[in-house]
Amino acid sequence: MRVIKFALKTGLNALPTPGSLKLVHLDWQDSKLMGWFLEIHKDYQDEYEVYIAVTGEPVPTEYNYVCSSQLNTGGGYFVVHAFD
């Protein structure tokens, strides 16, 4: 197993995976939204979906909350929330 990261955007992110991924942390790095994922090589997935929503945005019911992150940019604070 190992931890890997992907750049994420608001909305649906479909990540190809050689094994099985699980989002464990969401944060900003070099002004980009990044997700850190635990990669396990025992169960195969075709892709792993992560939905990134801003506060108050309706989220499809098939997703479960994972974590949130805050960014101070443009003179204000913005919070995004990750669901898988």
Side-chain angles (χ1 to χ4, degrees):
M1 112 175 81
R2 64 182 177 154
V3 174
I4 58 175
K5 71 178 177 180
F6 290 99
L8 300 171
K9 60 180 177 41
T10 55
L12 183 61
N13 297 266
L15 307 171
T17 171
S20 181
L21 294 178
K22 175 67 179 158
L23 178 64
V24 293
H25 185 70
L26 182 69
D27 210 339
W28 301 88
Q29 184 179 44
D30 193 26
S31 72
K32 296 177 187 146
L33 182 61
M34 305 297 286
W36 281 261
F37 299 82
L38 181 62
E39 180 188 53
I40 303 169
H41 289 283
K42 72 178 204 180
D43 296 323
Y44 181 78
Q45 296 170 314
D46 288 331
E47 63 183 12
Y48 178 70
E49 292 184 348
V50 176
Y51 192 92
I52 304 294
V54 296
T55 300
E57 177 183 341
V59 176
T61 57
E62 65 264 21
Y63 294 103
N64 298 300
Y65 175 78
V66 178
C67 57
S68 299
S69 184
Q70 182 181 54
L71 172 67
N72 180 4
T73 185
Y77 289 92
F78 300 92
V79 178
V80 292
H81 312 278
F83 299 81
D84 69 359

